[in-house]
Amino acid sequence: MKSRGTKKGDEPLSKRPHLEPSLPTDPALYSGPFPFYRLPSQLGCFSLDEQRQYHGDARALRYYSPPPTSSQGPNFDLRDGYPDRYQPRDETVQEKLDHLLHWLMEHRGQLEGPSNFSLRGPGWLAGATVTWRGHLTKLLTTPYERQEGWQLAASRFQGTLYLSEVETPAARAQRLSRPPHLRELMYMGYKFEQYMCADKPGGSPDPSGEVNTNVAFCSVLRSRLGNHPLLFSGEVDCTDSKAPSPEPPTCYVELKTSKEMHSLGQKRSFYRYKLLKWWAQSFLPGVPNVVAGFRNPEGFISSLKTFPTMKMFEYVRNDREGWNPSVCMNFCAAFLTFAHNTVVQDDPRLVYLFSWEPGGPVTVSEHRDAPYAFLPTWYVDAMSQ
Ligand code: A3P
Ligand code: MG
Ligand code: MG
């Protein structure tokens, strides 16, 4: 046999320094054609009440009720009721996947039924990735994100890959030191929802009540990215009874607030950064429209504009500094493949922590039990029955 030299890269594998697996996030690596993404379909829903208690129904769903179009614009005062009529959710409680697991536990029979009944087939859940829509949104925007890193904990259980976000030390520090004006700004986003939604179909909004951010309506959806079946849940702001396509998720409307824009520079930056996040959040669950309220420096909404999710990319298509939906989706697919190849052992107590900071690749570390294990025993036990 021909003897081998000691040229770099020619050493036997055992003598090479051990390379930790990692995943690069450079947009240029993911610019191929748009991958397959199955039309999302709703499998079910649940609600969280004023006390953040779970209910397996749509009681928290609200109804889109925009103001009558007038020449003056809406003039909603987003600061009204702050802080006296504000019940913010306790952000020190880390809920992880718990509410979604509750829904899964209650529907486990339907998810693994015979294929002619469930239309998913036996073993569908075992091959799926289960997570929150918000976690997938962060994955989609990663190639373009320059400010905030993330950590995702992953465990495999009965075949299914579960992904649950872990608050980074930086995010925790920011939350604990959030300045008063940012607290008020958060309130204003929820206050806008109150001005735009009624509790009953055909009803009118009641801005005199409290803003309680414990309350949430969540849709549970099924989709597939490339060869990765997905089951994820996301909070939905409201449903439009007059939507051209009245079934969920196409009847859903996402509400957003943003600063009034005057200069071209302000618009450019809105299309580059904010619209990317809006697109990722609504594209994943198939929510067709985002209704934006633009607020003036005094905190009043002065105008409304509907952004169809599927048209958002048009605003950056010819912008060199813009974003590309294919890059977002290809990166997400690559991450799912990377995670599936990393999390091989089926063990709800074993956790792989995927960490990412802007400018670097996604790295992985391995952990067992506390503090990273996130699949609760009540869930593991119920699913093992
Ligand atoms: P806006 O983003 O409309 O201002 P969502 O739009 O996802 O339904 O969220 C509703 C509101 O929650 C947001 O309103 C904002 O006020 C607050 N919010 C959501 N995500 C946030 C985040 N990462 N940081 C701060 N506030 C957030
Ligand atoms: Mg919302
Ligand atoms: Mg919203």
Side-chain angles (χ1 to χ4, degrees):
M1 218 170 93
K2 208 174 155 193
S3 72
R4 284 171 170 263
T6 50
K7 231 171 34 205
K8 214 177 174 188
D10 261 2
E11 302 95 345
L13 267 179
S14 58
K15 287 207 176 156
R16 288 190 200 167
H18 179 64
L19 284 178
E20 294 292 337
S22 67
L23 182 72
T25 64
D26 184 350
L29 299 170
Y30 299 100
S31 61
F34 196 86
F36 175 82
Y37 189 63
R38 181 194 189 272
L39 209 61
S41 52
Q42 180 170 281
L43 295 173
C45 66
F46 60 88
S47 294
L48 304 173
D49 67 17
E50 282 82 356
Q51 284 77 42
R52 203 69 181 170
Q53 294 304 302
Y54 175 98
H55 301 274
D57 55 44
R59 70 182 68 187
L61 177 59
R62 291 186 292 179
Y63 299 82
Y64 182 60
S65 177
T69 35
S70 74
S71 51
Q72 294 103 25
N75 215 36
F76 301 146
D77 180 3
L78 298 185
R79 297 162 72 185
D80 177 51
Y82 185 80
D84 39 298
R85 282 182 284 130
Y86 185 27
Q87 299 284 345
R89 180 175 74 83
D90 180 356
E91 288 178 276
T92 62
V93 180
Q94 304 286 325
E95 298 175 324
K96 297 174 270 195
L97 296 185
D98 289 5
H99 299 304
L100 174 54
L101 299 181
H102 196 144
W103 183 91
L104 272 163
M105 184 177 74
E106 289 189 343
H107 294 83
R108 60 191 182 280
Q110 287 131 278
L111 288 166
E112 290 291 20
S115 60
N116 59 348
F117 168 69
S118 68
L119 302 172
R120 287 174 287 278
W124 180 83
L125 183 59
T129 298
V130 166
T131 191
W132 285 113
R133 177 270 310 271
H135 302 359
L136 294 173
T137 304
K138 287 198 179 178
L139 288 171
L140 260 62
T141 58
T142 295
Y144 299 107
E145 177 63 41
R146 284 156 189 228
Q147 291 181 358
E148 284 168 18
W150 48 254
Q151 290 192 309
L152 279 174
S155 289
R156 195 181 287 279
F157 171 54
Q158 294 181 340
T160 308
L161 183 72
Y162 293 84
L163 298 175
S164 177
E165 191 176 21
V166 173
E167 190 179 45
T168 62
R172 178 182 152 81
Q174 271 197 16
R175 169 169 63 78
L176 294 175
S177 66
R178 194 179 287 142
H181 79 273
L182 282 186
R183 288 169 201 264
E184 187 171 25
L185 207 56
M186 271 182 80
Y187 169 82
M188 291 162 71
Y190 295 111
K191 186 68 188 176
F192 176 58
E193 296 176 1
Q194 197 187 50
Y195 279 112
M196 296 290 289
C197 299
D199 287 342
K200 302 252 160 11
S204 298
D206 174 16
S208 73
E210 291 206 319
V211 170
N212 185 325
T213 58
N214 288 295
V215 181
F217 167 79
C218 294
S219 170
V220 181
L221 300 126
R222 172 201 173 187
S223 183
R224 178 160 56 88
L225 173 56
N227 54 2
H228 299 289
L230 300 172
L231 187 154
F232 58 92
S233 176
E235 197 250 342
V236 167
D237 289 339
C238 56
T239 184
D240 182 0
S241 321
K242 300 193 183 108
S245 172
E247 266 90 61
T250 48
C251 55
Y252 292 150
V253 180
E254 173 60 42
L255 302 171
K256 289 287 181 197
T257 65
S258 200
K259 263 212 287 233
E260 264 181 357
M261 299 179 289
H262 300 287
S263 68
L264 273 173
Q266 286 172 327
K267 289 186 185 171
R268 264 279 89 93
S269 131
F270 167 80
Y271 302 145
R272 284 176 184 166
Y273 307 108
K274 218 158 195 180
L275 221 44
L276 162 62
K277 299 208 171 173
W278 292 7
W279 170 79
Q281 184 188 25
S282 287
F283 177 75
L284 281 163
V287 172
N289 291 297
V290 177
V291 175
F294 291 99
R295 65 179 137 73
N296 64 24
E298 291 73 46
F300 284 75
I301 292 292
S302 52
S303 64
L304 300 173
K305 182 175 162 75
T306 299
F307 291 90
T309 306
M310 299 310 277
K311 293 193 174 150
M312 291 180 183
F313 173 53
E314 300 308 323
Y315 290 94
V316 291
R317 193 190 279 279
N318 300 316
D319 181 353
R320 284 170 197 277
E321 307 272 306
W323 46 275
N324 181 339
S326 300
V327 168
C328 301
M329 299 303 279
N330 285 325
F331 171 74
C332 187
F335 174 81
L336 292 171
T337 300
F338 180 56
H340 272 271
N341 292 337
T342 306
V343 190
V344 176
Q345 252 198 72
D346 203 292
D347 182 346
R349 296 168 59 184
L350 180 64
V351 176
Y352 289 85
L353 185 66
F354 294 90
S355 303
W356 178 73
E357 283 302 325
V362 180
T363 59
V364 203
S365 56
E366 200 182 304
H367 307 265
R368 181 167 283 281
D369 296 326
Y372 291 113
F374 60 88
L375 291 170
T377 46
W378 58 259
Y379 181 73
V380 171
D381 291 349
M383 298 300 273
S384 307
Q385 295 292 306

PDB file of all heavy atoms in Angstrom, residues 184-215:
ATOM      1  N   GLU A 184     -43.755  50.268  28.704  1.00  0.00           N
ATOM      2  CA  GLU A 184     -44.960  50.928  28.192  1.00  0.00           C
ATOM      3  C   GLU A 184     -45.171  50.588  26.712  1.00  0.00           C
ATOM      4  O   GLU A 184     -46.300  50.362  26.276  1.00  0.00           O
ATOM      5  CB  GLU A 184     -44.859  52.450  28.394  1.00  0.00           C
ATOM      6  CG  GLU A 184     -46.163  53.151  28.037  1.00  0.00           C
ATOM      7  CD  GLU A 184     -46.197  54.617  28.422  1.00  0.00           C
ATOM      8  OE1 GLU A 184     -45.127  55.240  28.522  1.00  0.00           O
ATOM      9  OE2 GLU A 184     -47.315  55.142  28.614  1.00  0.00           O
ATOM     10  N   LEU A 185     -44.081  50.498  25.963  1.00  0.00           N
ATOM     11  CA  LEU A 185     -44.168  50.151  24.548  1.00  0.00           C
ATOM     12  C   LEU A 185     -44.764  48.750  24.358  1.00  0.00           C
ATOM     13  O   LEU A 185     -45.558  48.518  23.439  1.00  0.00           O
ATOM     14  CB  LEU A 185     -42.770  50.235  23.928  1.00  0.00           C
ATOM     15  CG  LEU A 185     -42.685  50.533  22.436  1.00  0.00           C
ATOM     16  CD1 LEU A 185     -43.409  51.817  22.073  1.00  0.00           C
ATOM     17  CD2 LEU A 185     -41.220  50.607  22.006  1.00  0.00           C
ATOM     18  N   MET A 186     -44.388  47.829  25.248  1.00  0.00           N
ATOM     19  CA  MET A 186     -44.950  46.476  25.191  1.00  0.00           C
ATOM     20  C   MET A 186     -46.456  46.526  25.422  1.00  0.00           C
ATOM     21  O   MET A 186     -47.232  45.882  24.712  1.00  0.00           O
ATOM     22  CB  MET A 186     -44.321  45.586  26.267  1.00  0.00           C
ATOM     23  CG  MET A 186     -43.064  44.881  25.824  1.00  0.00           C
ATOM     24  SD  MET A 186     -42.429  43.820  27.119  1.00  0.00           S
ATOM     25  CE  MET A 186     -43.481  42.385  26.959  1.00  0.00           C
ATOM     26  N   TYR A 187     -46.844  47.305  26.423  1.00  0.00           N
ATOM     27  CA  TYR A 187     -48.271  47.474  26.714  1.00  0.00           C
ATOM     28  C   TYR A 187     -49.002  47.981  25.474  1.00  0.00           C
ATOM     29  O   TYR A 187     -50.096  47.499  25.138  1.00  0.00           O
ATOM     30  CB  TYR A 187     -48.446  48.456  27.883  1.00  0.00           C
ATOM     31  CG  TYR A 187     -49.885  48.892  28.091  1.00  0.00           C
ATOM     32  CD1 TYR A 187     -50.771  48.083  28.792  1.00  0.00           C
ATOM     33  CD2 TYR A 187     -50.349  50.111  27.592  1.00  0.00           C
ATOM     34  CE1 TYR A 187     -52.093  48.468  28.985  1.00  0.00           C
ATOM     35  CE2 TYR A 187     -51.663  50.504  27.775  1.00  0.00           C
ATOM     36  CZ  TYR A 187     -52.530  49.690  28.472  1.00  0.00           C
ATOM     37  OH  TYR A 187     -53.838  50.074  28.671  1.00  0.00           O
ATOM     38  N   MET A 188     -48.391  48.943  24.806  1.00  0.00           N
ATOM     39  CA  MET A 188     -49.047  49.589  23.663  1.00  0.00           C
ATOM     40  C   MET A 188     -49.370  48.600  22.540  1.00  0.00           C
ATOM     41  O   MET A 188     -50.394  48.725  21.870  1.00  0.00           O
ATOM     42  CB  MET A 188     -48.172  50.747  23.163  1.00  0.00           C
ATOM     43  CG  MET A 188     -48.139  51.903  24.159  1.00  0.00           C
ATOM     44  SD  MET A 188     -46.771  53.052  23.905  1.00  0.00           S
ATOM     45  CE  MET A 188     -47.273  53.850  22.407  1.00  0.00           C
ATOM     46  N   GLY A 189     -48.507  47.607  22.347  1.00  0.00           N
ATOM     47  CA  GLY A 189     -48.773  46.576  21.335  1.00  0.00           C
ATOM     48  C   GLY A 189     -50.044  45.807  21.667  1.00  0.00           C
ATOM     49  O   GLY A 189     -50.859  45.513  20.789  1.00  0.00           O
ATOM     50  N   TYR A 190     -50.219  45.479  22.923  1.00  0.00           N
ATOM     51  CA  TYR A 190     -51.426  44.748  23.353  1.00  0.00           C
ATOM     52  C   TYR A 190     -52.655  45.658  23.349  1.00  0.00           C
ATOM     53  O   TYR A 190     -53.777  45.231  23.064  1.00  0.00           O
ATOM     54  CB  TYR A 190     -51.223  44.160  24.744  1.00  0.00           C
ATOM     55  CG  TYR A 190     -50.144  43.108  24.793  1.00  0.00           C
ATOM     56  CD1 TYR A 190     -48.945  43.339  25.460  1.00  0.00           C
ATOM     57  CD2 TYR A 190     -50.314  41.873  24.169  1.00  0.00           C
ATOM     58  CE1 TYR A 190     -47.946  42.371  25.512  1.00  0.00           C
ATOM     59  CE2 TYR A 190     -49.325  40.903  24.224  1.00  0.00           C
ATOM     60  CZ  TYR A 190     -48.141  41.159  24.891  1.00  0.00           C
ATOM     61  OH  TYR A 190     -47.169  40.200  24.943  1.00  0.00           O
ATOM     62  N   LYS A 191     -52.444  46.929  23.679  1.00  0.00           N
ATOM     63  CA  LYS A 191     -53.557  47.882  23.693  1.00  0.00           C
ATOM     64  C   LYS A 191     -54.134  48.032  22.286  1.00  0.00           C
ATOM     65  O   LYS A 191     -55.352  48.124  22.103  1.00  0.00           O
ATOM     66  CB  LYS A 191     -53.074  49.237  24.240  1.00  0.00           C
ATOM     67  CG  LYS A 191     -54.167  50.269  24.427  1.00  0.00           C
ATOM     68  CD  LYS A 191     -55.121  49.886  25.549  1.00  0.00           C
ATOM     69  CE  LYS A 191     -56.319  50.821  25.600  1.00  0.00           C
ATOM     70  NZ  LYS A 191     -57.298  50.378  26.627  1.00  0.00           N
ATOM     71  N   PHE A 192     -53.243  48.018  21.291  1.00  0.00           N
ATOM     72  CA  PHE A 192     -53.694  48.102  19.892  1.00  0.00           C
ATOM     73  C   PHE A 192     -54.642  46.938  19.572  1.00  0.00           C
ATOM     74  O   PHE A 192     -55.685  47.129  18.931  1.00  0.00           O
ATOM     75  CB  PHE A 192     -52.484  48.095  18.955  1.00  0.00           C
ATOM     76  CG  PHE A 192     -52.838  48.087  17.496  1.00  0.00           C
ATOM     77  CD1 PHE A 192     -53.619  49.096  16.944  1.00  0.00           C
ATOM     78  CD2 PHE A 192     -52.372  47.071  16.657  1.00  0.00           C
ATOM     79  CE1 PHE A 192     -53.943  49.095  15.589  1.00  0.00           C
ATOM     80  CE2 PHE A 192     -52.688  47.066  15.305  1.00  0.00           C
ATOM     81  CZ  PHE A 192     -53.480  48.076  14.764  1.00  0.00           C
ATOM     82  N   GLU A 193     -54.295  45.739  20.048  1.00  0.00           N
ATOM     83  CA  GLU A 193     -55.159  44.575  19.814  1.00  0.00           C
ATOM     84  C   GLU A 193     -56.553  44.827  20.387  1.00  0.00           C
ATOM     85  O   GLU A 193     -57.560  44.478  19.780  1.00  0.00           O
ATOM     86  CB  GLU A 193     -54.566  43.324  20.484  1.00  0.00           C
ATOM     87  CG  GLU A 193     -53.217  42.894  19.919  1.00  0.00           C
ATOM     88  CD  GLU A 193     -52.612  41.704  20.668  1.00  0.00           C
ATOM     89  OE1 GLU A 193     -53.240  41.196  21.625  1.00  0.00           O
ATOM     90  OE2 GLU A 193     -51.497  41.290  20.293  1.00  0.00           O
ATOM     91  N   GLN A 194     -56.576  45.453  21.578  1.00  0.00           N
ATOM     92  CA  GLN A 194     -57.869  45.701  22.228  1.00  0.00           C
ATOM     93  C   GLN A 194     -58.737  46.665  21.398  1.00  0.00           C
ATOM     94  O   GLN A 194     -59.958  46.508  21.350  1.00  0.00           O
ATOM     95  CB  GLN A 194     -57.621  46.276  23.620  1.00  0.00           C
ATOM     96  CG  GLN A 194     -58.818  46.208  24.530  1.00  0.00           C
ATOM     97  CD  GLN A 194     -58.545  46.958  25.825  1.00  0.00           C
ATOM     98  OE1 GLN A 194     -58.101  48.105  25.817  1.00  0.00           O
ATOM     99  NE2 GLN A 194     -58.823  46.310  26.951  1.00  0.00           N
ATOM    100  N   TYR A 195     -58.110  47.642  20.754  1.00  0.00           N
ATOM    101  CA  TYR A 195     -58.855  48.588  19.911  1.00  0.00           C
ATOM    102  C   TYR A 195     -59.360  47.953  18.615  1.00  0.00           C
ATOM    103  O   TYR A 195     -60.259  48.482  17.965  1.00  0.00           O
ATOM    104  CB  TYR A 195     -57.961  49.769  19.531  1.00  0.00           C
ATOM    105  CG  TYR A 195     -57.829  50.856  20.575  1.00  0.00           C
ATOM    106  CD1 TYR A 195     -56.620  51.071  21.230  1.00  0.00           C
ATOM    107  CD2 TYR A 195     -58.905  51.699  20.880  1.00  0.00           C
ATOM    108  CE1 TYR A 195     -56.467  52.092  22.169  1.00  0.00           C
ATOM    109  CE2 TYR A 195     -58.767  52.723  21.811  1.00  0.00           C
ATOM    110  CZ  TYR A 195     -57.552  52.914  22.449  1.00  0.00           C
ATOM    111  OH  TYR A 195     -57.425  53.925  23.363  1.00  0.00           O
ATOM    112  N   MET A 196     -58.724  46.853  18.225  1.00  0.00           N
ATOM    113  CA  MET A 196     -59.014  46.249  16.912  1.00  0.00           C
ATOM    114  C   MET A 196     -59.852  44.972  16.984  1.00  0.00           C
ATOM    115  O   MET A 196     -60.193  44.404  15.949  1.00  0.00           O
ATOM    116  CB  MET A 196     -57.692  45.897  16.208  1.00  0.00           C
ATOM    117  CG  MET A 196     -56.830  47.089  15.865  1.00  0.00           C
ATOM    118  SD  MET A 196     -57.501  48.115  14.547  1.00  0.00           S
ATOM    119  CE  MET A 196     -57.260  47.045  13.136  1.00  0.00           C
ATOM    120  N   CYS A 197     -60.132  44.496  18.217  1.00  0.00           N
ATOM    121  CA  CYS A 197     -60.795  43.194  18.358  1.00  0.00           C
ATOM    122  C   CYS A 197     -62.033  43.279  19.234  1.00  0.00           C
ATOM    123  O   CYS A 197     -62.067  44.020  20.210  1.00  0.00           O
ATOM    124  CB  CYS A 197     -59.859  42.182  19.009  1.00  0.00           C
ATOM    125  SG  CYS A 197     -58.374  41.859  18.073  1.00  0.00           S
ATOM    126  N   ALA A 198     -63.023  42.450  18.878  1.00  0.00           N
ATOM    127  CA  ALA A 198     -64.226  42.293  19.701  1.00  0.00           C
ATOM    128  C   ALA A 198     -64.217  40.890  20.297  1.00  0.00           C
ATOM    129  O   ALA A 198     -63.561  39.989  19.777  1.00  0.00           O
ATOM    130  CB  ALA A 198     -65.463  42.493  18.836  1.00  0.00           C
ATOM    131  N   ASP A 199     -64.931  40.734  21.396  1.00  0.00           N
ATOM    132  CA  ASP A 199     -64.983  39.417  22.043  1.00  0.00           C
ATOM    133  C   ASP A 199     -65.944  38.459  21.347  1.00  0.00           C
ATOM    134  O   ASP A 199     -65.839  37.248  21.517  1.00  0.00           O
ATOM    135  CB  ASP A 199     -65.399  39.565  23.513  1.00  0.00           C
ATOM    136  CG  ASP A 199     -64.267  40.156  24.343  1.00  0.00           C
ATOM    137  OD1 ASP A 199     -63.112  40.110  23.877  1.00  0.00           O
ATOM    138  OD2 ASP A 199     -64.544  40.667  25.446  1.00  0.00           O
ATOM    139  N   LYS A 200     -66.917  39.056  20.598  1.00  0.00           N
ATOM    140  CA  LYS A 200     -67.927  38.226  19.926  1.00  0.00           C
ATOM    141  C   LYS A 200     -67.935  38.563  18.429  1.00  0.00           C
ATOM    142  O   LYS A 200     -67.659  39.711  18.071  1.00  0.00           O
ATOM    143  CB  LYS A 200     -69.319  38.540  20.494  1.00  0.00           C
ATOM    144  CG  LYS A 200     -69.439  38.330  22.004  1.00  0.00           C
ATOM    145  CD  LYS A 200     -70.258  37.108  22.316  1.00  0.00           C
ATOM    146  CE  LYS A 200     -70.084  36.518  23.695  1.00  0.00           C
ATOM    147  NZ  LYS A 200     -69.370  37.200  24.726  1.00  0.00           N
ATOM    148  N   PRO A 201     -68.314  37.589  17.582  1.00  0.00           N
ATOM    149  CA  PRO A 201     -68.396  37.919  16.152  1.00  0.00           C
ATOM    150  C   PRO A 201     -69.424  39.039  15.951  1.00  0.00           C
ATOM    151  O   PRO A 201     -70.495  39.014  16.562  1.00  0.00           O
ATOM    152  CB  PRO A 201     -68.887  36.616  15.510  1.00  0.00           C
ATOM    153  CG  PRO A 201     -68.845  35.563  16.558  1.00  0.00           C
ATOM    154  CD  PRO A 201     -68.660  36.201  17.890  1.00  0.00           C
ATOM    155  N   GLY A 202     -69.086  40.036  15.167  1.00  0.00           N
ATOM    156  CA  GLY A 202     -69.991  41.157  14.918  1.00  0.00           C
ATOM    157  C   GLY A 202     -70.024  42.185  16.034  1.00  0.00           C
ATOM    158  O   GLY A 202     -70.711  43.196  15.927  1.00  0.00           O
ATOM    159  N   GLY A 203     -69.287  41.949  17.117  1.00  0.00           N
ATOM    160  CA  GLY A 203     -69.263  42.881  18.246  1.00  0.00           C
ATOM    161  C   GLY A 203     -68.332  44.051  18.005  1.00  0.00           C
ATOM    162  O   GLY A 203     -67.687  44.155  16.956  1.00  0.00           O
ATOM    163  N   SER A 204     -68.283  44.951  19.002  1.00  0.00           N
ATOM    164  CA  SER A 204     -67.408  46.121  18.905  1.00  0.00           C
ATOM    165  C   SER A 204     -66.320  46.029  19.961  1.00  0.00           C
ATOM    166  O   SER A 204     -66.548  45.505  21.051  1.00  0.00           O
ATOM    167  CB  SER A 204     -68.205  47.398  19.140  1.00  0.00           C
ATOM    168  OG  SER A 204     -69.184  47.522  18.158  1.00  0.00           O
ATOM    169  N   PRO A 205     -65.149  46.580  19.671  1.00  0.00           N
ATOM    170  CA  PRO A 205     -64.072  46.581  20.664  1.00  0.00           C
ATOM    171  C   PRO A 205     -64.472  47.388  21.898  1.00  0.00           C
ATOM    172  O   PRO A 205     -65.253  48.334  21.802  1.00  0.00           O
ATOM    173  CB  PRO A 205     -62.915  47.270  19.919  1.00  0.00           C
ATOM    174  CG  PRO A 205     -63.241  47.147  18.473  1.00  0.00           C
ATOM    175  CD  PRO A 205     -64.729  47.166  18.385  1.00  0.00           C
ATOM    176  N   ASP A 206     -63.938  46.986  23.051  1.00  0.00           N
ATOM    177  CA  ASP A 206     -64.208  47.713  24.291  1.00  0.00           C
ATOM    178  C   ASP A 206     -62.876  48.117  24.923  1.00  0.00           C
ATOM    179  O   ASP A 206     -62.310  47.375  25.719  1.00  0.00           O
ATOM    180  CB  ASP A 206     -65.009  46.817  25.247  1.00  0.00           C
ATOM    181  CG  ASP A 206     -65.200  47.473  26.615  1.00  0.00           C
ATOM    182  OD1 ASP A 206     -64.985  48.713  26.718  1.00  0.00           O
ATOM    183  OD2 ASP A 206     -65.549  46.755  27.578  1.00  0.00           O
ATOM    184  N   PRO A 207     -62.405  49.312  24.591  1.00  0.00           N
ATOM    185  CA  PRO A 207     -61.096  49.732  25.115  1.00  0.00           C
ATOM    186  C   PRO A 207     -61.135  50.189  26.567  1.00  0.00           C
ATOM    187  O   PRO A 207     -60.102  50.586  27.102  1.00  0.00           O
ATOM    188  CB  PRO A 207     -60.689  50.885  24.193  1.00  0.00           C
ATOM    189  CG  PRO A 207     -61.789  51.038  23.192  1.00  0.00           C
ATOM    190  CD  PRO A 207     -62.982  50.325  23.700  1.00  0.00           C
ATOM    191  N   SER A 208     -62.289  50.089  27.223  1.00  0.00           N
ATOM    192  CA  SER A 208     -62.381  50.536  28.620  1.00  0.00           C
ATOM    193  C   SER A 208     -61.898  49.457  29.593  1.00  0.00           C
ATOM    194  O   SER A 208     -61.629  49.732  30.759  1.00  0.00           O
ATOM    195  CB  SER A 208     -63.828  50.920  28.961  1.00  0.00           C
ATOM    196  OG  SER A 208     -64.615  49.748  29.060  1.00  0.00           O
ATOM    197  N   GLY A 209     -61.783  48.228  29.106  1.00  0.00           N
ATOM    198  CA  GLY A 209     -61.405  47.120  29.991  1.00  0.00           C
ATOM    199  C   GLY A 209     -59.906  47.051  30.274  1.00  0.00           C
ATOM    200  O   GLY A 209     -59.149  47.937  29.889  1.00  0.00           O
ATOM    201  N   GLU A 210     -59.526  45.974  30.972  1.00  0.00           N
ATOM    202  CA  GLU A 210     -58.117  45.763  31.289  1.00  0.00           C
ATOM    203  C   GLU A 210     -57.388  45.104  30.118  1.00  0.00           C
ATOM    204  O   GLU A 210     -58.001  44.409  29.308  1.00  0.00           O
ATOM    205  CB  GLU A 210     -58.006  44.828  32.497  1.00  0.00           C
ATOM    206  CG  GLU A 210     -58.489  45.463  33.774  1.00  0.00           C
ATOM    207  CD  GLU A 210     -57.810  44.838  35.000  1.00  0.00           C
ATOM    208  OE1 GLU A 210     -57.655  43.598  35.001  1.00  0.00           O
ATOM    209  OE2 GLU A 210     -57.452  45.593  35.909  1.00  0.00           O
ATOM    210  N   VAL A 211     -56.097  45.309  30.075  1.00  0.00           N
ATOM    211  CA  VAL A 211     -55.246  44.564  29.148  1.00  0.00           C
ATOM    212  C   VAL A 211     -54.547  43.497  29.986  1.00  0.00           C
ATOM    213  O   VAL A 211     -53.730  43.813  30.846  1.00  0.00           O
ATOM    214  CB  VAL A 211     -54.216  45.497  28.462  1.00  0.00           C
ATOM    215  CG1 VAL A 211     -53.179  44.686  27.695  1.00  0.00           C
ATOM    216  CG2 VAL A 211     -54.923  46.484  27.534  1.00  0.00           C
ATOM    217  N   ASN A 212     -54.935  42.240  29.775  1.00  0.00           N
ATOM    218  CA  ASN A 212     -54.363  41.129  30.541  1.00  0.00           C
ATOM    219  C   ASN A 212     -53.602  40.226  29.577  1.00  0.00           C
ATOM    220  O   ASN A 212     -54.209  39.529  28.755  1.00  0.00           O
ATOM    221  CB  ASN A 212     -55.477  40.358  31.256  1.00  0.00           C
ATOM    222  CG  ASN A 212     -54.929  39.265  32.157  1.00  0.00           C
ATOM    223  OD1 ASN A 212     -53.925  38.637  31.846  1.00  0.00           O
ATOM    224  ND2 ASN A 212     -55.597  39.038  33.279  1.00  0.00           N
ATOM    225  N   THR A 213     -52.279  40.237  29.688  1.00  0.00           N
ATOM    226  CA  THR A 213     -51.476  39.497  28.701  1.00  0.00           C
ATOM    227  C   THR A 213     -51.279  38.026  29.081  1.00  0.00           C
ATOM    228  O   THR A 213     -50.502  37.324  28.435  1.00  0.00           O
ATOM    229  CB  THR A 213     -50.126  40.197  28.442  1.00  0.00           C
ATOM    230  OG1 THR A 213     -49.415  40.305  29.667  1.00  0.00           O
ATOM    231  CG2 THR A 213     -50.338  41.574  27.852  1.00  0.00           C
ATOM    232  N   ASN A 214     -52.010  37.570  30.091  1.00  0.00           N
ATOM    233  CA  ASN A 214     -52.072  36.130  30.343  1.00  0.00           C
ATOM    234  C   ASN A 214     -52.952  35.453  29.309  1.00  0.00           C
ATOM    235  O   ASN A 214     -52.772  34.283  28.993  1.00  0.00           O
ATOM    236  CB  ASN A 214     -52.658  35.849  31.727  1.00  0.00           C
ATOM    237  CG  ASN A 214     -51.686  36.201  32.821  1.00  0.00           C
ATOM    238  OD1 ASN A 214     -50.638  35.583  32.935  1.00  0.00           O
ATOM    239  ND2 ASN A 214     -52.015  37.231  33.595  1.00  0.00           N
ATOM    240  N   VAL A 215     -53.953  36.202  28.826  1.00  0.00           N
ATOM    241  CA  VAL A 215     -54.944  35.631  27.913  1.00  0.00           C
ATOM    242  C   VAL A 215     -54.314  35.410  26.539  1.00  0.00           C
ATOM    243  O   VAL A 215     -53.636  36.292  26.010  1.00  0.00           O
ATOM    244  CB  VAL A 215     -56.162  36.576  27.788  1.00  0.00           C
ATOM    245  CG1 VAL A 215     -57.202  35.976  26.848  1.00  0.00           C
ATOM    246  CG2 VAL A 215     -56.760  36.861  29.162  1.00  0.00           C
TER     247      VAL A 215
END
